């Protein structure tokens, strides 16, 4: 039986207990859940998404989220798989991150130093955590940071760069062996 990579990712996520949200999973499968209105994203917003994603998964010994073009995945999934109110909430969080960074550093997020970017993102993360706590048990949009982190990691590890550079990759895997020794420093396997 042959399965494609999307099906393999879906099966692994299901085995992991559904760690990826329904909209992100739908985005992985190329589905379009939002048939209604959507937020039009500017080139500046897309560029800012790339900068934020690159703080979450920076280039190190392997290319980071920006090199993988994760911002394109984020824009598509948010547009196609989230309702307009959730999209507005997400992009308001992105605007707030930019405004907070400019207020604190006098620079845009893109021009801030690596330390300043991490501090700005940490501030938004703490606000998102407080928002999630305040809305516990209520139907409320996912806080910006958590949605951004999920979409960044999902987009990155299912991209060609993430699957082949950050993870070990076999295009045609062999037999299943659930107990393979790993050498120190060896990367985990992609599907």
């Amino acid at each position: 039986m042959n399965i494609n990579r999307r099906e393999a990712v879906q099966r692994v996520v299901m085995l992991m207990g559904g760690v990826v949200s329904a909209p992100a999973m739908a985005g992985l499968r190329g589905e379009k859940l939002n048939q209604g209105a959507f937020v039009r994203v500017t080139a500046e917003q897309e560029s800012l998404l790339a900068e934020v994603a690159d703080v979450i998964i920076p280039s190190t010994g392997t290319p980071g989220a920006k090199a993988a073009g994760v911002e394109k995945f984020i824009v598509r999934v948010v547009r196609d798989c989230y309702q307009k109110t959730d999209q507005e909430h997400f992009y308001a969080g992105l605007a707030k991150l930019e405004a907070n960074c400019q207020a604190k550093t006098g620079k845009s997020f893109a021009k801030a130093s690596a330390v300043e970017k991490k501090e700005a993102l940490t501030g938004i993360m703490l606000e998102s955590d407080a928002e999630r706590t305040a809305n516990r048990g209520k139907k409320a949009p996912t806080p910006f940071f958590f949605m951004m982190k999920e979409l960044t990691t999902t987009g990155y590890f299912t991209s060609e760069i993430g699957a082949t550079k950050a993870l070990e990759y076999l295009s045609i895997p062999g037999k299943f062996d659930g107990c393979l020794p790993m050498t120190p420093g060896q990367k985990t396997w992609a599907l």
Side-chain angles (χ1 to χ4, degrees):
M1 173 173 90
N2 281 339
I3 62 171
N4 65 32
R5 188 169 58 127
R6 283 190 182 149
E7 289 171 332
V9 169
Q10 182 181 6
R11 289 179 184 186
V12 167
V13 169
M14 294 307 169
L15 288 172
M16 293 170 28
V19 176
V20 176
S21 69
M25 181 54 69
L28 278 173
R29 292 189 307 245
E31 294 176 6
K32 187 170 182 174
L33 300 179
N34 178 28
Q35 303 299 327
F38 59 90
V39 173
R40 297 208 184 274
V41 179
T42 65
E44 292 80 20
Q45 288 172 310
E46 191 171 318
S47 179
L48 181 54
L49 285 171
E51 293 294 328
V52 176
D54 214 47
V55 173
I56 295 170
I57 302 178
S59 294
T60 54
T62 58
K66 193 175 189 180
V70 167
E71 71 279 2
K72 304 264 187 234
F73 173 83
I74 294 169
V75 168
R76 182 185 59 78
V77 172
V78 171
R79 179 192 64 226
D80 291 351
C81 300
Y82 288 87
Q83 296 303 311
K84 188 172 183 193
T85 54
D86 294 326
Q87 294 174 36
E88 291 167 341
H89 186 77
F90 178 75
Y91 288 111
L94 184 67
K96 186 174 186 177
L97 171 65
E98 177 68 13
N100 289 357
C101 187
Q102 287 197 15
K104 189 170 183 175
T105 67
K107 300 178 240 176
S108 69
F109 189 85
K111 296 201 186 297
S113 71
V115 170
E116 292 167 333
K117 286 178 180 180
K118 284 181 183 175
E119 288 174 357
L121 203 51
T122 299
I124 286 292
M125 179 189 70
L126 294 173
E127 287 180 25
S128 290
D129 197 36
E131 180 183 344
R132 185 158 66 179
T133 300
N135 290 322
R136 193 171 310 239
K138 301 175 190 171
K139 182 159 176 32
T142 304
F144 167 75
F145 177 78
F146 298 107
M147 191 169 158
M148 182 70 195
K149 183 178 173 187
E150 175 188 47
L151 292 172
T152 298
T153 55
T154 303
Y156 180 75
F157 288 109
T158 58
S159 72
E160 182 177 349
I161 285 177
T164 60
K165 304 288 184 197
L167 301 170
E168 293 290 335
Y169 180 76
L170 289 174
S171 59
I172 303 173
K175 70 179 178 99
F176 175 75
D177 188 348
C179 189
L180 284 175
M182 294 182 70
T183 59
Q186 179 181 350
K187 297 184 253 178
T188 59
W189 294 91
L191 296 175

